[in-house]
Amino acid sequence: MEREGGKPAAVVAVVTEPRFTQRYREYLEKQKLLDRQHRVEKMPDGTVALPVVGGALPEQYLQELRDRVAPGSTCKVTQLLDPVPSKKAQGCSPAQRLCLEVSRWVEGRGVTWSAELEADLPRSWQRHGDLLLLSEDCFQAKQWKNLEPELWEAVASALGVHRVAKRGRVLPDGTRTPAVTLLLGAHGWVEHVDNGIRYKFDVTRCMFSFGNITEKLRVASLPCAGEVLVDLYAGIGYFTLPFLVHAGAAFVHACEWNPHAVVALRKNLDINGVEDRCQIHFGDNRKLKLSNTADRVNLGLIPSSEEGWPIACQVLRRDAGGILHIHQNVESYPGKNLQPPEGTEMEKEHWPYPQQIITNECTSGATRDSRRKTLSAAPKPEWQRWAESAEIRIATLLQQVHGTQWKTQILHIQPVKSYAPHVDHIVLDLECRPVL
């Protein structure tokens, strides 16, 4: 059990004199309250501390120890701030430790432990500092309800945290608000560090995807020095911050309509020291008044950012254009083909150069973005077909928005993560330049 920074989490222990230790141990074992994951410790005053499970010991057990088990004994409750793991615990995985401690705690409450309950325990979870975020597909059996809220203290104790939350499905409210319930603790604010960037957010109000780390690292390596960037779906700063902190963007316009995400974004800009290089545009980005300003636009919304494509074209500089980073979930079901739309004559005029996906090599005249080393894995045919379709659509939008002809080129297709079976989250880097 560890706190953030590698320190062991505190555990609750019962303290008594050495001569009563064996009686206390036998009683606690019989009641399935003895914490076998930590060693019994001798205290500086000569007393002995016996770790117990569940994060707290009900008064009825303390009274029993004082009056019946060991009359005359000193019976106090304390916290071991640096508990020593037992030899058994050192060879135990977190999931095994959770099963062991929760099963003992449940049986100590007079409930029969069953295969159904064991199968209902989580095998994985997210950890944000001292907060454990469980998935929605665990602790669903009806028996758990009768054990709440003390159950969550037992879970927290087993895994060395102080707060527990459980995730539901993302709410269909347009702001991707997570349906997260705080089960133990006073608030849901946490801090996470990625690539030296600090992100603070409320897990009950804002999304955070660990699976996007590869794209955040890639964004941090892009050559953005001196550029103005528009992030159309900024959230808590997932990509805004790497662009500012590591990629060297001169200024970022960050658009977000979730008020809770905006609160977190302001905090994160401040704690990372880049608040003077970012303007937050709160509200629907489709109503954004910006135009003719961006060297680069990030469209980090899945399953699709297509509603933001017209405004992305609007904010690109008319004189020089720029690069769009377009996120999309693309299906790759066997036998299912995504066909590019039929191109009109006008669309074909916007397609002066052959479409291509540049990974490790580029043609002469390619931009500095395409010269970067990127993953050499060949893109799936479905990714390429979607990219070609998106390129045609963007070319059409650019002419409609600016009233002039533009040329477009696919620089790169970047896989981010597998979103679901046969569904991939990818990013299209699309270069868009006016024909002068």
Side-chain angles (χ1 to χ4, degrees):
M1 305 177 190
E2 292 187 350
R3 291 195 296 261
E4 197 74 1
K7 294 183 179 181
V11 299
V12 175
V14 178
V15 179
T16 191
E17 295 86 353
R19 66 180 183 276
F20 297 120
T21 300
Q22 188 57 32
R23 296 189 210 174
Y24 271 48
R25 181 196 292 272
E26 291 173 355
Y27 173 79
L28 293 171
E29 284 181 336
K30 184 177 180 181
Q31 300 298 324
K32 302 187 186 304
L33 294 172
L34 186 67
D35 179 359
R36 295 180 180 272
Q37 303 303 306
H38 298 95
R39 295 183 183 179
V40 172
E41 293 189 31
K42 189 171 184 179
M43 306 299 284
D45 63 357
T47 58
V48 176
L50 296 91
V52 295
V53 300
L57 196 64
E59 179 61 32
Q60 67 187 75
Y61 295 108
L62 298 174
Q63 195 70 36
E64 185 88 351
L65 286 166
R66 294 190 196 101
D67 298 344
R68 190 183 67 79
V69 176
S73 64
T74 299
C75 182
K76 298 185 299 182
V77 175
T78 190
Q79 278 197 331
L80 300 177
L81 299 180
D82 294 297
V84 180
S86 65
K87 290 183 179 180
K88 184 175 182 179
Q90 291 174 4
C92 193
S93 73
Q96 290 171 328
R97 183 165 66 242
L98 178 66
C99 181
L100 180 65
E101 295 205 18
V102 170
S103 64
R104 284 179 176 160
W105 182 85
V106 167
E107 289 177 337
R109 266 64 186 166
V111 177
T112 302
W113 186 250
S114 65
E116 178 189 2
L117 291 178
E118 183 169 343
D120 202 28
L121 291 175
R123 298 293 184 269
S124 62
W125 45 79
Q126 286 186 7
R127 181 163 175 163
H128 300 275
D130 72 340
L131 185 144
L132 186 76
L133 182 57
L134 301 169
S135 61
E136 61 181 315
D137 59 353
C138 63
F139 291 109
Q140 294 179 317
K142 293 180 179 179
Q143 295 95 311
W144 299 120
K145 287 293 181 184
N146 298 326
L147 298 170
E148 296 177 0
E150 292 82 4
L151 167 65
W152 309 121
E153 294 181 359
V155 170
S157 175
L159 296 175
V161 298
H162 297 107
R163 294 178 292 163
V164 178
K166 189 177 180 186
R167 187 167 45 193
R169 296 194 179 278
V170 176
L171 299 178
D173 56 2
T175 62
R176 291 185 61 77
T177 303
V180 173
T181 303
L182 192 65
L183 304 171
L184 178 66
H187 63 85
W189 279 90
V190 299
E191 180 172 339
H192 187 72
V193 180
D194 267 350
N195 195 24
I197 296 174
R198 296 169 62 191
Y199 297 89
K200 286 188 175 183
F201 59 101
D202 185 343
V203 296
T204 68
R205 301 290 188 177
C206 303
M207 294 287 297
F208 189 89
S209 174
F210 287 96
N212 290 345
I213 181 60
T214 56
E215 181 61 10
K216 283 186 277 188
L217 291 171
R218 189 179 79 98
V219 160
S221 71
L222 292 174
C224 300
E227 292 185 350
V228 174
L229 188 135
V230 174
D231 190 352
L232 286 179
Y233 306 95
I236 66 171
Y238 313 104
F239 300 111
T240 294
L241 290 167
F243 275 119
L244 288 167
V245 175
H246 294 309
F251 198 85
V252 173
H253 293 276
C255 307
E256 179 54 46
W257 69 357
N258 180 341
H260 306 290
V262 168
V263 170
L265 177 58
R266 292 191 193 281
K267 287 179 181 285
N268 295 332
L269 290 168
D270 179 57
I271 62 177
N272 287 283
V274 292
E275 68 277 11
D276 59 333
R277 291 159 50 210
C278 182
Q279 179 179 352
I280 297 174
H281 300 266
F282 174 53
D284 189 339
N285 63 24
R286 291 168 296 186
K287 301 176 182 178
L288 188 65
K289 300 302 182 184
L290 280 180
S291 63
N292 187 29
T293 190
D295 300 289
R296 194 181 295 266
V297 183
N298 193 64
L299 298 102
L301 179 68
I302 55 173
S304 176
S305 62
E306 190 164 358
E307 286 193 351
W309 294 3
I311 198 69
C313 294
Q314 172 186 306
V315 299
L316 281 177
R317 288 174 52 182
R318 294 192 192 98
D319 61 338
I323 294 171
L324 306 182
H325 302 287
I326 307 172
H327 291 238
Q328 180 79 15
N329 279 357
V330 177
E331 296 181 355
S332 56
Y333 290 100
K336 183 173 182 178
N337 294 321
L338 173 63
Q339 297 295 336
E342 291 289 330
T344 65
E345 289 303 311
M346 180 183 70
E347 290 168 341
K348 291 175 182 176
E349 288 177 3
H350 284 74
W351 201 271
Y353 304 113
Q355 301 171 32
Q356 55 186 315
I357 294 175
I358 298 176
T359 53
N360 289 327
E361 299 180 354
C362 63
T363 60
S364 60
T367 65
R368 54 185 176 165
D369 272 58
S370 62
R371 294 189 190 106
R372 290 179 294 103
K373 282 204 169 187
T374 54
L375 294 182
S376 59
K380 294 180 181 179
E382 293 85 359
W383 303 352
Q384 184 164 354
R385 285 194 290 270
W386 173 80
E388 293 169 354
S389 174
E391 183 181 14
I392 293 173
R393 174 67 177 142
I394 292 292
T396 303
L397 286 170
L398 285 165
Q399 179 165 346
Q400 291 173 350
V401 169
H402 295 284
T404 57
Q405 188 176 356
W406 285 59
K407 59 184 178 182
T408 56
Q409 183 180 27
I410 295 171
L411 297 179
H412 179 62
I413 297 176
Q414 177 70 30
V416 178
K417 63 181 181 293
S418 175
Y419 188 83
H422 305 292
V423 179
D424 299 307
H425 175 186
I426 65 172
V427 180
L428 165 64
D429 293 348
L430 185 66
E431 184 177 19
C432 306
R433 306 291 178 191
V435 177
L436 301 177

